[in-house]
Amino acid sequence: MTQDPTRRTILLATGAAALTVGCSEYGGESDSGSSSVAASAGQELAKTGDIPVGGGTIFKDEKIVVTQPTQGEFKAFSNICTHQQCPVANVSDGTINCTCHGSKFKITDGSVANPPATKPLPEKQIQVTGDSITLA
């Protein structure tokens, strides 16, 4: 003898399924790359003159932000905030800024300058040759 599911059971199961699907978009970092164009080694990102001293430039398609903390010193970090995986919005006043929840990261090393993020932006490898900045 089997029992038919109750209305409560169906509602709970439907709600749980919807919650799982809705939250999967904000899961942890993934290397699948299926939904975005993957940046490849040797790909030119910019000319050195395109990156302001004391600031930086965000490359949305490549998911990278390149900074120039001091003249001739270039750094690169993921442009995905470590708080809730929002893309960072801008670079100003020595920080990489996520406007989703107010996190800020130092342009010198990607460390947290203002919470709620608690982890630094992951560093990315770049190479500067002459006036060209490429992915390493």
Side-chain angles (χ1 to χ4, degrees), residues 46-83:
K47 298 292 184 188
T48 56
D50 296 337
I51 311 299
V53 176
T57 301
I58 298 168
F59 299 92
K60 292 179 183 178
D61 291 341
E62 293 81 4
K63 296 187 177 187
I64 293 174
V65 58
V66 176
T67 66
Q68 187 176 187
T70 60
Q71 181 70 42
E73 176 191 16
F74 296 91
K75 302 282 187 164
F77 308 96
S78 168
N79 80 329
I80 303 300
C81 180
T82 57
H83 175 237

Side-chain angles (χ1 to χ4, degrees), residues 87-135:
V88 296
N90 59 64
V91 181
S92 65
D93 300 323
T95 59
I96 301 163
N97 309 305
C98 180
T99 56
C100 285
H101 300 104
S103 293
K104 295 182 180 205
F105 304 88
K106 295 177 185 176
I107 64 170
T108 55
D109 59 6
S111 64
V112 176
N114 189 68
T118 58
K119 296 179 184 174
L121 291 175
E123 189 169 355
K124 298 292 185 175
Q125 297 300 309
I126 56 172
Q127 183 173 0
V128 179
T129 307
D131 69 344
S132 180
I133 301 171
T134 57
L135 295 172

